[in-house]
Amino acid sequence: MAVSAYKTSMQIPSDITNLILTYLEERQRLTGLNLSLQAFHRRVYAPLLSLNREWRTAVLRRLASECVFTADYPISSSRAIYSYAPELFAPEDYPMGALVRTVTLRLNFEGIADGDVPQLLTSPECPINGFSYATNLNVEIFSSGVIIEDHDEKQVLGYVDDTVSAIRRVLPMAHNISVADNMLYPIVGNKLSAALGYLIQQLLCGSTKSSICYSSYVDDTAKYSGLTSLTHIDYEMIGYSKKHMQIIHQNAMSLQELSIDYKGLGQIFKLVADNSGALITYPRLRCLKLSSVDGLAPSSYPVFEDHMPFPRLIHVDLMVDYPFGDDTLFRGNANSLESLWMVADGRVESYVTGINMSSKAFMEILSQFPSLEKFEASGLTEMPTLLTQLPFLPNLRLIRVLDLGHVPLSISDLITLLQTMTRLCVLSCSGSLNIGGEPNAELGPDLDTLREEYYPFARQLKVLSLWKYGGDFTDLGVNSLTYFLASFAVICPSFYPTPMDPKLAVRFNKSLRLLIDDDMFAKYSKDIRRLLVAKM
């Protein structure tokens, strides 16, 4: 990037500089430039640091927006790292305290119990001193090994208070607080375990957003007993545990986001009923993520049709075989759900009565949600089944973003899909492309007929992605991709393909130029030429 052309006196509004930097970062991510993150920063950001004050501030806010400070044991191992590219600048040369917005503290609990961590945090030399504008605080509590209870309880609780007070002093604006309990080694004795629970409660006390991340590796839930108003929980469950599920239940009224990576949950009913069978409602939950290699089975308990456990869900991510015959998860939120991400495989068919295709099962579920605007799915197997259901599902007309996963697709399929889903702006599909034979083959689409019948078609479509990023395309695969996109460009004037990695882009451009020179496509060269990928 040549920055010398800009005058150092040029002032650009901060929102514009941020948009430019966001574009540069997104361009790097999507196009897959063969640069390490550090090399990218040196190539793009380093020149901007010396351009003028506005650009320097904008870049530093990106590169130094987060500081990770590890208060290890022994204290001599403690270290601070500014987020993304510390090699580009010396922290002492810039006003870092005014730039950092997120602070991650990695605290060794043994160092807290011994009094070393609070001593370090209250020291004038502490690296996080002066971060008075940081609003986000992530605290990771860990241990280097088994901690033996040979500490004075009152003294340890005093060190905990000192630690929390020091954190609040140096980070007075931090109100979005997340605590990750990574104590993979047990604490021998109840007193220190209670002190750890007290630390977690004090850290989260008074926060606007209170989040905890924990797992069932260590079977100790007493330290969480006082947590009853969490807004976010991220839980990794290895085997079903009533005690660990109780932590989720006791925060049901306040939870806004819940993520469970589990093995052994078994039934969704365990999430919406406590150990006595009493029903639980999550009135504020907006986002739910369930992930597991195990499938969920339909509830064996009676169906309480008037119980709506998740009435205000907006985003649902299901990386699990969900039993579609059980509507527990989707009951009562049809008018609020906006984004649904699902994964399925052959096992899902056993949960749906009378359904032979995964695609049909998905469509039956989706028909319940009139407000849904985004749908991402993998595991769809039969495009014809999907297409035959579309005309009967008027709710799908509102969807603006659709990811079909690895389902096969033809030009006629795409036309039928877009005729029904009239608001679709972004479509992704990484399955095989059925173009009806090679270029110039008799079974290929009749471009003149397509043009006469459909042009201009689907003007609302802006992005069409028909490949899996990082995929290994054979020459046949590249030609098929080129042929498919060129044929569709003849009738659809508005879409552009998503960015490609440089190697694929070179091969795609070469194949596209050959098509443009072909008699079959020559008359539509203007429509097709816009698909050429710009050089990086």
Side-chain angles (χ1 to χ4, degrees):
M1 173 181 291
V3 297
S4 58
Y6 295 94
K7 295 183 180 297
T8 56
S9 61
M10 176 184 288
Q11 292 188 357
I12 302 177
S14 59
D15 57 337
I16 301 301
T17 58
N18 287 329
L19 283 174
I20 294 173
L21 294 176
T22 299
Y23 166 75
L24 292 173
E25 292 172 354
E26 189 69 6
R27 185 170 178 261
Q28 147 74 3
R29 183 182 69 83
L30 290 176
T31 57
L33 292 174
N34 292 321
L35 296 173
S36 65
L37 192 59
Q38 291 76 15
F40 171 74
H41 288 149
R42 284 195 297 271
R43 173 177 168 179
V44 177
Y45 284 161
L48 295 176
L49 282 172
S50 57
L51 185 60
N52 59 30
R53 184 175 62 183
E54 286 76 18
W55 278 106
R56 181 169 58 251
T57 301
V59 170
L60 286 174
R61 281 176 176 164
R62 294 297 180 106
L63 300 183
S65 61
E66 180 178 354
C67 178
V68 180
F69 177 56
T70 302
D72 211 340
Y73 187 83
I75 290 301
S76 58
S77 302
S78 299
R79 58 201 177 276
I81 299 176
Y82 290 93
S83 48
Y84 300 113
E87 77 283 354
L88 288 185
F89 55 86
E92 61 271 13
D93 294 340
Y94 300 99
M96 307 305 296
L99 300 175
V100 173
R101 292 295 182 268
T102 299
V103 175
T104 298
L105 296 180
R106 301 186 69 250
L107 305 179
N108 191 324
F109 186 67
E110 189 173 2
I112 296 176
D114 287 339
D116 292 329
V117 168
Q119 182 180 352
L120 174 63
L121 293 176
T122 55
S123 169
E125 289 75 30
C126 178
I128 63 171
N129 266 318
F131 292 169
S132 55
Y133 292 95
T135 56
N136 306 307
L137 172 61
N138 305 317
V139 181
E140 177 186 338
I141 306 171
F142 68 98
S143 61
S144 303
V146 176
I147 301 178
I148 307 297
E149 186 165 293
D150 56 356
H151 300 72
D152 179 82
E153 180 182 10
K154 182 178 293 187
Q155 187 177 43
V156 171
L157 292 177
Y159 288 149
V160 168
D161 286 332
D162 292 343
T163 299
V164 175
S165 297
I167 292 173
R168 289 178 176 167
R169 180 180 62 81
V170 297
L171 303 171
M173 300 290 290
H175 55 84
N176 296 324
I177 302 176
S178 174
V179 176
D181 182 358
N182 291 339
M183 296 285 290
L184 300 184
Y185 296 95
I187 297 176
V188 180
N190 295 327
K191 295 179 180 179
L192 274 185
S193 181
L196 174 58
Y198 177 66
L199 170 63
I200 294 173
Q201 292 178 41
Q202 290 300 106
L203 285 170
L204 296 174
C205 181
S207 61
T208 303
K209 171 187 173 183
S210 53
S211 174
I212 189 167
C213 175
Y214 68 102
S215 73
S216 58
Y217 283 109
V218 178
D219 191 21
D220 176 17
T221 59
K223 56 192 173 187
Y224 303 126
S225 59
L227 301 176
T228 57
S229 57
L230 295 174
T231 59
H232 298 66
I233 288 181
D234 189 341
Y235 174 40
E236 182 180 3
M237 179 171 63
I238 310 300
Y240 177 71
S241 167
K242 291 182 178 180
K243 292 189 296 183
H244 285 89
M245 191 58 66
Q246 176 60 32
I247 301 165
I248 296 175
H249 292 164
Q250 70 191 27
N251 287 279
M253 296 300 294
S254 58
L255 277 178
Q256 297 175 21
E257 293 187 15
L258 175 59
S259 176
I260 303 179
D261 187 351
Y262 66 89
K263 182 177 182 180
L265 180 63
Q267 298 179 355
I268 195 69
F269 191 83
K270 295 178 181 178
L271 190 59
V272 299
D274 64 16
N275 297 335
S276 66
L279 299 178
I280 295 173
T281 301
Y282 298 79
R284 298 182 179 180
L285 196 68
R286 302 291 191 272
C287 179
L288 177 63
K289 300 179 181 179
L290 297 178
S291 175
S292 178
V293 295
D294 299 332
L296 283 172
S299 295
S300 58
Y301 293 85
V303 177
F304 299 90
E305 294 183 357
D306 59 343
H307 179 224
M308 297 180 291
F310 308 103
R312 301 181 70 180
L313 271 181
I314 296 176
H315 305 287
V316 176
D317 285 5
L318 296 176
M319 295 188 66
V320 59
D321 284 334
Y322 186 80
F324 295 108
D326 184 344
D327 70 342
T328 304
L329 177 60
F330 299 107
R331 194 181 305 144
N333 49 41
N335 292 318
S336 65
L337 197 65
E338 296 177 1
S339 176
L340 179 61
W341 192 92
M342 286 184 168
V343 174
D345 59 25
R347 288 177 293 173
V348 75
E349 297 171 12
S350 64
Y351 299 141
V352 187
T353 303
I355 301 299
N356 296 318
M357 300 295 178
S358 298
S359 300
K360 187 177 178 182
F362 277 122
M363 293 305 104
E364 288 198 344
I365 293 298
L366 287 175
S367 65
Q368 303 176 25
F369 309 113
S371 60
L372 197 66
E373 294 187 359
K374 181 178 180 181
F375 173 41
E376 300 180 39
S378 62
L380 304 183
T381 56
E382 288 291 337
M383 195 67 182
T385 304
L386 169 66
L387 296 175
T388 56
Q389 294 299 305
L390 283 176
F392 305 102
L393 302 174
N395 293 341
L396 294 185
R397 295 180 184 274
L398 298 178
I399 290 183
R400 301 173 64 86
V401 180
L402 178 65
D403 187 341
L404 293 173
H406 202 67
V407 64
L409 189 69
S410 69
I411 291 288
S412 60
D413 292 337
L414 184 56
I415 291 173
T416 302
L417 189 71
L418 290 169
Q419 284 176 325
T420 302
M421 306 181 75
T422 53
R423 295 186 64 190
L424 197 62
C425 298
V426 180
L427 175 62
S428 299
C429 179
S430 58
S432 59
L433 301 176
N434 179 11
I435 61 173
E438 292 301 304
N440 296 319
E442 293 181 359
L443 295 179
D446 185 331
L447 298 183
D448 293 337
T449 301
L450 286 176
R451 180 77 166 202
E452 181 178 353
E453 185 172 352
Y454 294 107
Y455 186 87
F457 180 69
R459 285 185 176 274
Q460 81 282 357
L461 186 68
K462 304 302 180 184
V463 178
L464 181 60
S465 176
L466 297 178
W467 57 87
K468 183 178 181 181
Y469 183 75
D472 182 19
F473 278 87
T474 63
D475 289 340
L476 178 61
V478 174
N479 290 337
S480 297
L481 171 65
T482 308
Y483 191 76
F484 192 101
L485 289 174
S487 299
F488 190 63
V490 170
I491 64 171
C492 182
S494 57
F495 84 94
Y496 284 88
T498 52
M500 308 175 186
D501 66 77
K503 292 181 179 179
L504 177 58
V506 170
R507 298 169 64 199
F508 175 80
N509 283 349
K510 181 180 179 180
S511 179
L512 192 63
R513 288 191 178 96
L514 291 174
L515 276 183
I516 292 173
D517 294 335
D518 188 278
D519 292 341
M520 181 178 177
F521 286 90
K523 63 187 297 185
Y524 304 111
S525 60
K526 183 178 180 180
D527 302 279
I528 299 170
R529 195 176 297 277
R530 65 182 177 82
L531 301 179
L532 288 169
V533 179
K535 293 183 178 179
M536 300 302 301

